[in-house]
Amino acid sequence: MSVLPKIVLHICCAPDEAYVINLLRAEYQLHCFFCNHNIYPVTEYELRFAEAQKVAERYNIPFSADSYEPSLWTQVVKDLENTPEGGQRCRECFLLRLRRTASFCKNLGWSAFTSVMSVSPHKNITMLNETGALAAREQEMEYIPFNFKKKDGFRKSIALSNSLGLYRQDYCGCQLSLKERNIRLKEKLFKKDHS
Ligand code: SF4
């Protein structure tokens, strides 16, 4: 039986998951928890889910998933639709997923959790760690505030996911981030056509 400390890993996507598993698996007993009510549309959710499951299987790490209830996300970002990516709507989105991760962790009988989301340079680490700590405090659990983008984490995660042939999404996940991605692409095309 493993005597390593136990951590539930909140998983947002396979590339971040693979990198963090490789970083932590020698020092911790891990359990992956895929919880992403924010992802839109359902086909994108299914794709990210399947890839995340595949990664856990590859490294022989237990994998669980929350239900998929996009209405939970819609409720928490209500009236925040016009806020930009990285602002208040992302705070609520983090909090939703980390609260549910804390509940999962508690039901599992473990006491600590973290999220692989800090691999991404697009995520506000202060906001992520604050919401994680709040979700933990509410349920008398512990949130471990890793910063996985340190030590070139993002670049290494890209290299690893390429070598494993994993799907890499090009938008954060929600309907709003998909729209923002489309606007960015249009602007890029416009600039290219007019340069
Ligand atoms: S941009 Fe990402 S973190 Fe922010 S609300 Fe959308 S899915 Fe959530």
Side-chain angles (χ1 to χ4, degrees), residues 53-177:
Q53 194 170 36
K54 202 168 71 181
V55 166
E57 278 169 12
R58 179 187 180 97
Y59 294 110
N60 203 20
I61 305 292
F63 179 91
S64 301
D66 201 351
S67 53
Y68 176 49
E69 298 176 61
S71 62
L72 294 177
W73 179 83
T74 310
Q75 280 161 26
V76 298
V77 302
K78 196 169 172 293
D79 301 328
L80 298 170
E81 292 85 352
N82 293 322
T83 59
E85 183 169 343
Q88 187 64 14
R89 83 166 198 252
C90 298
R91 184 182 186 280
E92 296 305 321
C93 178
F94 291 167
L95 197 50
L96 168 67
R97 290 182 282 163
L98 295 176
R99 277 179 170 148
R100 292 179 73 96
T101 303
S103 299
F104 172 80
C105 188
K106 195 166 203 170
N107 289 337
L108 191 65
W110 290 17
S111 58
F113 66 97
T114 193
S115 174
V116 302
M117 287 194 284
S118 70
V119 172
S120 167
H122 306 297
K123 299 286 185 302
N124 178 329
I125 189 71
T126 307
M127 181 187 284
L128 181 63
N129 287 341
E130 279 173 5
T131 50
L134 174 59
R137 215 164 40 242
E138 289 170 348
Q139 303 196 48
E140 299 179 337
M141 308 293 287
E142 185 186 1
Y143 177 80
I144 316 274
F146 288 107
N147 186 351
F148 296 119
K149 67 171 85 46
K150 276 188 172 171
K151 297 186 183 163
D152 215 8
F154 184 57
R155 194 192 55 75
K156 289 176 185 164
S157 85
I158 292 175
L160 177 63
S161 62
N162 286 341
S163 74
L164 296 175
L166 299 176
Y167 165 67
R168 290 191 66 83
Q169 66 274 4
D170 66 354
Y171 67 102
C172 187
C174 66
Q175 193 165 6
L176 302 167
S177 63

